[in-house]
Amino acid sequence: MLRLLIKKTLSEQYAGWFYNPKKNVARSRVGTVSMILFTVVFGFGVFGGLMALLGSALAEPLAMSGMGWLYFVIIGLLGLLLGVVGGAFSAYTNLYKGRDNDLLLSLPIPPSKIIQARIISVYLVTGIFSLVAILPPEIVYWIRVRPGVPAVIAGVLFALAISVLALVLGCLLGLVVAKISTKLKNKSIVTVLISLLVMGIYYFFYFRFQTLMRNISTDPESFRRLENVPGLKFFGQAGEGHLLPLAALLALAGLLMAVTLLLLVRSFYRVISDANKVSRVTYKAKDEKQKSLSRALLGRELRHLVSSPGYMLNSSIGSFFLILAAGAVLIK
């Protein structure tokens, strides 16, 4: 049963590789291979290449300063952040917004099986973002520093643990979004606000991260005081290959994943049932004033705007940033 659910979920998630929704036809073999190659080249080639360049600038300075643990702290936290940001809405849509929720719940299928199948599809988004962010700089570190085979195995386990932690945070974020959306009438506004929040967090850390990287590459010794931050060095040592920190990180990732799975299973029925509630509206007759053609079309377009998250983000995000830029110009 679980295997069939996983196959069904993945076929729906990656249907765009094999089916052209605009033309309503199946893609040719050339089209399918092109879509897959584009995804792989963009994800692993472009993004992974950028992360490898980051690693090449930091690996040797930090290793020579005896601060290899800081290198793994940086790429580990970066992989965690990008995994959560990259899969922020994948958890919400895959776990709770499935079109076949009513059908699956009407069948004798335990909710735990449904959740497990959908968590795997979420992991293929959050986990891949994390692994693409961590593995290329780890490979650069292994080539430049040559720490040995045990450290390489530890680095792979470290990357997998970070990807699981990103999955946990993504699933919890999806649960929070699902609970908030059940309390609000206009769910599109919630989606847009969360999208803006995620974008703001990403760009905040992105610009701070650039400054941090420049300072570390020029003067790594000035960051030795970070050893006093509780748990930070312990976390980085897991990536270096120290057994105790690595075992603790793997145990923490496994424990949090088990707790998250239990929480999702217990809340699945309640969230789905709340999302499907239909509020009763008492009809009140009223007179409708005649409108001009332009005013009627404008009202129709505004209703369409507030009902579609994608429309609001693509059409209004520029205006939103123009307002912020105007304020920044006045203040600065």
Side-chain angles (χ1 to χ4, degrees):
M1 178 60 68
L2 180 59
R3 183 175 61 85
L4 292 176
L5 287 174
I6 294 173
K7 182 179 179 180
K8 171 186 174 299
T9 303
L10 295 182
S11 63
E12 292 174 351
Q13 183 171 349
Y14 297 100
W17 286 355
F18 309 97
Y19 174 75
N20 190 337
K22 293 183 178 179
K23 298 181 179 180
N24 196 25
V25 295
R27 296 186 188 275
S28 63
R29 290 186 177 180
V30 176
T32 300
V33 172
S34 300
M35 290 290 294
I36 296 175
L37 285 178
F38 174 79
T39 304
V40 172
V41 169
F42 179 77
F44 291 91
V46 178
F47 184 60
L50 292 175
M51 296 303 301
L53 288 175
L54 168 67
S56 63
L58 296 178
E60 287 183 304
L62 290 176
M64 293 176 62
S65 302
M67 300 175 64
W69 60 269
L70 181 57
Y71 182 84
F72 286 94
V73 167
I74 292 171
I75 64 174
L77 294 179
L78 187 60
L80 186 64
L81 174 65
L82 292 178
V84 175
V85 171
F89 289 101
S90 176
Y92 171 57
T93 55
N94 287 340
L95 290 175
Y96 299 106
K97 296 293 288 184
R99 298 178 181 179
D100 56 352
N101 284 333
D102 293 336
L103 175 61
L104 291 177
L105 292 176
S106 66
L107 299 175
I109 302 176
S112 59
K113 300 295 183 182
I114 302 174
I115 291 294
Q116 290 175 28
R118 292 184 177 179
I119 279 181
I120 292 175
S121 67
V122 175
Y123 180 75
L124 291 179
V125 178
T126 59
I128 287 177
F129 268 96
S130 293
L131 293 176
V132 172
I134 298 176
L135 288 179
E138 279 194 337
I139 294 173
V140 171
Y141 183 86
W142 299 333
I143 295 174
R144 296 288 184 87
V145 181
R146 301 183 182 276
V149 176
V152 172
I153 297 174
V156 174
L157 295 176
F158 175 78
L160 291 174
I162 296 299
S163 66
V164 172
L165 291 177
L167 173 63
V168 169
L169 293 178
C171 290
L172 294 178
L173 179 61
L175 177 59
V176 172
V177 173
K179 285 186 173 294
I180 293 175
S181 64
T182 58
K183 306 298 181 181
L184 300 176
K185 294 182 179 179
N186 194 335
K187 298 178 176 59
S188 301
I189 299 294
V190 179
T191 303
V192 171
L193 291 177
I194 294 175
S195 300
L196 293 176
L197 177 62
V198 170
M199 290 174 61
I201 293 173
Y202 171 77
Y203 281 109
F204 173 79
F205 282 103
Y206 174 78
F207 290 116
R208 290 295 182 93
F209 191 73
Q210 281 188 324
T211 304
L212 178 64
M213 293 302 99
R214 184 168 56 251
N215 296 334
I216 289 178
S217 60
T218 55
D219 186 17
E221 288 292 338
S222 62
F223 290 86
R224 192 169 293 279
R225 62 182 180 275
L226 292 176
E227 294 180 354
N228 299 324
V229 178
L232 196 63
K233 186 176 181 179
F234 192 77
F235 173 76
Q237 286 177 336
E240 281 191 298
H242 295 261
L243 292 180
L244 181 59
L246 181 61
L249 181 63
L250 292 173
L252 177 65
L255 177 62
L256 290 179
M257 189 68 255
V259 173
T260 302
L261 180 61
L262 179 62
L263 182 63
L264 293 178
V265 170
R266 289 189 173 184
S267 63
F268 186 70
Y269 272 126
R270 184 168 60 255
V271 173
I272 295 299
S273 61
D274 289 342
N276 293 333
K277 285 182 179 178
V278 179
S279 58
R280 294 184 178 182
V281 179
T282 303
Y283 175 74
K284 295 182 180 179
K286 60 181 180 180
D287 296 331
E288 182 69 24
K289 295 182 179 180
Q290 185 177 3
K291 299 177 182 178
S292 64
L293 179 60
S294 58
R295 186 178 178 184
L297 289 175
L298 177 61
R300 173 187 176 277
E301 199 63 29
L302 288 175
R303 288 191 296 272
H304 182 202
L305 176 67
V306 298
S307 64
S308 173
Y311 189 11
M312 275 190 282
L313 285 173
N314 292 328
S315 301
S316 304
I317 192 68
S319 301
F320 176 77
F321 281 120
L322 281 175
I323 295 173
L324 291 181
V329 169
L330 291 175
I331 295 173
K332 298 292 185 180

